Amino acid sequence: MKSPISHWSLVSRLMLGVLILSATGFAASDVAAQNMLETFLTHQIDDQLQNVVGGSIQRVQSAGVAPRPVEEEDDNPRRELKRAAKRALKQAPPAPLQSVPTSTSITLLDVNGKIVGAIGGDLNKANIADYVSGLTSTEVLKHNGTPFTIEAGDSKFRVLAKVLPNGVGSIVVAQSLNDLQGTLARLQFLFVLIGFILLALIAIAARAVVKIGLHPLASVEDTAERIAEGDLSARLPDAKPGTEVGRLVSSLNTMLARIEESFAARTESENKLRRFVADASHELRTPITAIRGFSELHRQGAVAEGAPTKELIGRIENESKRMGSLVEDLLLLARLDQSREMESKPVDLAKVVTDAVISARAAGPEHPVTFDAPSGDFYTLGDADRIHQVVANLLANARAHTPSGTPITVSISQDSDGIRISVTDKGPGLSEDVQSKIFERFYRADSSRKRTDGEGSGLGLSIVDAVMRAHGGRVSVESKLGEGATFTLFFPSKN
């Protein structure tokens, strides 16, 4: 079961924490201050009791209670102490034994603890004599002249008892602690009152400070609402980077930027997928429609037997091959998109390029292809068949988009960073807009680079780009309108 506090706002919970800590600090300081004050005042009372006891013993001795030789002493100590007390009282001894309104009391006890005289304590609610009665000289000696506290009903007394020098009894001086307790009670009330006032002021100040400190979080909330409504470009206002809120704002803005980029990339990917599916459907529909049409003609007997039938079957076969090639290209791109690992073996790039050039010369004799095989070793790790396909696609692309007789030049070079294979034609060239999109799937260049009907699937350069990326390399194009185009394959050095 959740605590009700968990439903409070962050400001309220922070204020509650501040108030609890403040109240705890006030309570601890109040208790410590009162204990220290009580200890100090008690020590002062103890010092006063020591002074009163010392002066009272001297006065009792001067009043005739001083020790006498043993042979002169009465054999009954009790009668002796009583007579001495009477003589002392008759002679009106000086303070503190004179009868004046005071909270300090002096009590004379015989050796058995019986009261033989008392003075003072008129301001006390309780009579301390009733509580010290029975305190024998032996018990007084046990206290060893140390003050102690006696509870007398609702009152407390600080008491100091000492045995008289002549040993005939004890003197007990007591001081009521009512004034001390009253002082501590008033001080406690003052502490509580001041504490409540300070807590109220702290609550007001803490709420203002917390609101100011958490103001950026309100901006976070507003920004989150805007993002929830679809505005992915919303950002938090800048804050001081050295503060916790500043670091939070910086992290959130970075996260929001990445989220926006991810959504944009996903949207672009979805758009590309939709275009790819539409283009693939269109490309497949053309041969399927042709095959269906030719089949209908043959079924209806619209084509005569013999050479026309053979021609019709040949067209069906060609359209089937075209559709099969398109499907194979799509499957290859799908495998490359899944980032499947390609074969990684040493490949002699010079030999691969030579084989691809020979095949290109046989496939398109109307386009002269020049390649001067360089001396030296040009090796990389990869899939020889796929690299051959990449070079062949570039040569087929050059033949398909340039007029007959256009020369094509192939070169290979090696630098410290890797190996480069270039295919250059002297065709009509490419515009900058076409260069930025030419490696997209099913993309068709503008009319200045005409494509021979029935050739290619529109995926050749897309396959080149995907295969090069799978090898850790890249393909690039440089071209100017009217000056031809150069496609470069780059294979980075692999240590």
Side-chain angles (χ1 to χ4, degrees), residues 44 114 206 213 215 221 231 239 284 299 314 316 336 351 382 386 406 409 460 464 479:
Q44 283 193 326
K114 186 175 180 180
H215 179 70
E221 183 179 0
D231 183 9
L284 288 172
R299 183 180 61 82
I316 292 176
L336 294 174
K351 183 178 182 305
R386 294 304 173 202
T406 302
T409 303
V464 171
S479 178

Side-chain angles (χ1 to χ4, degrees), residues 40-67:
F40 173 75
L41 295 178
T42 301
H43 286 167
Q44 283 193 326
I45 292 175
D46 292 345
D47 293 340
Q48 292 176 3
L49 293 179
Q50 293 284 0
N51 294 332
V52 172
V53 165
S56 298
I57 290 176
Q58 293 178 1
R59 287 176 175 78
V60 169
Q61 289 176 340
S62 65
V65 193

Side-chain angles (χ1 to χ4, degrees), residues 427-445:
L430 298 167
S431 65
E432 293 183 359
D433 181 62
V434 172
Q435 293 180 46
S436 64
K437 301 177 181 178
I438 196 168
F439 296 108
E440 295 181 6
R441 298 173 187 181
F442 296 112
Y443 179 75
R444 295 287 186 266

Side-chain angles (χ1 to χ4, degrees), residues 173-196:
V173 180
Q175 173 65 49
S176 174
L177 297 179
N178 288 340
D179 292 341
L180 184 146
Q181 296 296 329
T183 300
L184 293 178
R186 287 190 293 273
L187 182 63
Q188 183 177 12
F189 172 78
L190 183 62
F191 279 161
V192 171
L193 179 61
I194 294 175
F196 276 116

Side-chain angles (χ1 to χ4, degrees), residues 170-286:
S170 305
I171 184 169
V172 180
V173 180
Q175 173 65 49
S176 174
L177 297 179
N178 288 340
D179 292 341
L180 184 146
Q181 296 296 329
T183 300
L184 293 178
R186 287 190 293 273
L187 182 63
Q188 183 177 12
F189 172 78
L190 183 62
F191 279 161
V192 171
L193 179 61
I194 294 175
F196 276 116
I197 295 174
L198 289 177
L199 286 177
L201 295 176
I202 289 175
I204 296 173
R207 187 174 185 84
V209 172
V210 169
K211 280 190 173 182
I212 294 174
L214 297 181
H215 179 70
L217 294 183
S219 301
V220 172
E221 183 179 0
D222 295 338
T223 304
E225 291 180 356
R226 291 171 56 191
I227 293 174
E229 293 173 355
D231 183 9
L232 296 180
S233 62
R235 295 293 182 272
L236 298 172
D238 293 334
K240 293 183 179 179
T243 63
E244 292 82 357
V245 174
R247 290 191 291 271
L248 174 62
V249 167
S250 178
S251 299
L252 287 177
N253 282 337
T254 302
M255 180 189 69
L256 292 174
R258 292 179 179 176
I259 290 175
E260 184 180 13
E261 292 175 359
S262 299
F263 271 95
R266 189 185 72 173
T267 302
E268 180 63 21
S269 176
E270 291 176 351
N271 292 335
K272 287 183 177 180
L273 179 61
R274 282 193 291 268
R275 291 196 302 267
F276 176 77
V277 172
D279 291 339
S281 300
H282 175 74
E283 291 291 333
L284 288 172
R285 183 169 55 190
T286 300

